Amino acid sequence: MTTSELVSAYLAALERADADAVLKLFTSDALVHSPLYGPQPAAEFYPQLFADTSRSLLTLLGVMDGNSQQGTALVSFWFHFEWCFPSGAAAPFTVMDIAELTDDGRIATLYIV
């Protein structure tokens, strides 16, 4: 899977609130660092996020590939997130996610900026 395909699969699963599909893109011990929820295992973060979401619409704005200083593959993706809480209150925002990838292309760590 290319990084563009990974990002597309991630955003589609995030928009559908499909935790199983999202977690298939991550390693079993992956971490998510969120400014709202703090650092959490991905397996705990996504069910919590989806419980706090009644609807979401995601618009991809850009994808960037690169490497960390240690040589780890990185993919960053910039998107607009039309997020609605279960109450119906809207909380739209634009966000950049940075994913550290394993050699097999799965996400080991995700930083939400």
Side-chain angles (χ1 to χ4, degrees):
M1 177 180 299
T2 68
T3 54
S4 291
E5 291 168 338
L6 173 70
V7 169
S8 292
Y10 174 78
L11 293 179
L14 188 62
E15 190 170 73
R16 299 192 304 275
D18 186 339
D20 290 335
V22 168
L23 292 173
K24 286 180 183 176
L25 304 171
F26 285 77
T27 61
S28 62
D29 60 347
L31 293 175
V32 175
H33 295 266
S34 165
L36 183 59
Y37 296 95
Q40 293 186 7
E44 295 174 18
F45 173 79
Y46 288 99
Q48 183 177 2
L49 174 66
F50 296 151
D52 292 341
T53 303
S54 66
R55 182 182 60 82
S56 62
L57 177 64
L58 306 170
T59 305
L60 182 63
L61 301 171
V63 177
M64 295 161 277
D65 290 301
N67 293 294
S68 71
Q69 292 297 324
Q70 295 76 28
T72 303
L74 301 173
V75 62
S76 301
F77 41 105
W78 178 36
F79 61 101
H80 186 74
F81 196 146
E82 290 287 333
W83 188 24
C84 290
F85 295 109
S87 68
F93 59 97
T94 300
V95 63
M96 174 72 74
D97 285 2
I98 303 165
E100 293 180 332
L101 305 179
T102 59
D103 290 340
D104 66 358
R106 291 183 297 147
I107 301 169
T109 308
L110 183 77
Y111 299 92
I112 302 169
V113 182

